[in-house]
Amino acid sequence: MEWLMVSYLVLLVAVCQVPITNSLLNHFTEHIINNLNNSTLEAHCKSKDDDLGLRRLAAQTEFNWTFRVNFWSTTLFFCDLRWASGHKVCDVYCTDDQFLNKYCAYDFCRWSARDDGIYAFSGKKKRYVLAHKWDPK
């Protein structure tokens, strides 16, 4: 009976290893960068649990924050980004592997607001890629 209990415990630890590792050990950093030509960017970012408030970013400045993924690996951050010529509400972090592979690098996501849209730094491509076009104001 004791071996059955030990086997069950080993199986439980193996199944939970990835979420526990991601949530308890890894830090993740988000960067919102204003690369607009001489325009202020308003960024209001939040998750289900954390409202980071409205930030007004002058041209060529950034706002960043660091967090840990929750125990269940369901963390989601999104931002409402606005400037004189457009706006966009978009996810800036979610634990989905496709999202992370497309828009992020190992332990960070970098979002660059530019006149023609919002770019994400792709760790896979090692460059910024257009992620979203601005919605008209």
Side-chain angles (χ1 to χ4, degrees), residues 21-22 24-29 66-69 106-108:
T21 301
N22 284 338
L24 299 179
L25 301 178
N26 295 344
H27 287 86
F28 207 88
T29 303
T66 300
F67 61 95
R68 290 185 182 173
V69 174
Y106 173 69
D107 60 354
F108 66 88

Side-chain angles (χ1 to χ4, degrees), residues 56-68:
R56 289 182 177 85
L57 304 176
Q60 310 310 312
T61 63
E62 81 167 66
F63 162 55
N64 63 66
W65 69 96
T66 300
F67 61 95
R68 290 185 182 173

Side-chain angles (χ1 to χ4, degrees), residues 53-112:
L54 177 64
R55 307 292 175 121
R56 289 182 177 85
L57 304 176
Q60 310 310 312
T61 63
E62 81 167 66
F63 162 55
N64 63 66
W65 69 96
T66 300
F67 61 95
R68 290 185 182 173
V69 174
N70 67 24
F71 181 80
W72 301 274
S73 290
T74 58
T75 300
L76 170 72
F77 276 95
F78 63 94
C79 293
D80 181 352
L81 303 173
R82 298 176 178 272
W83 69 298
S85 296
H87 67 93
K88 188 71 175 178
V89 176
C90 57
D91 292 345
V92 295
Y93 179 86
C94 75
T95 54
D96 176 70
D97 286 339
Q98 283 185 312
F99 180 92
L100 294 172
N101 287 333
K102 186 173 183 180
Y103 296 129
C104 300
Y106 173 69
D107 60 354
F108 66 88
C109 290
R110 283 196 184 114
W111 298 90
S112 173

Side-chain angles (χ1 to χ4, degrees), residues 1-2 4 12 18 42 44-45 53 69 111 120 130 132 135-136:
M1 187 67 169
E2 186 176 317
L4 183 61
L12 182 63
V18 172
E42 291 186 350
H44 189 179
C45 301
V69 174
W111 298 90
L130 180 63
H132 306 286
D135 294 332

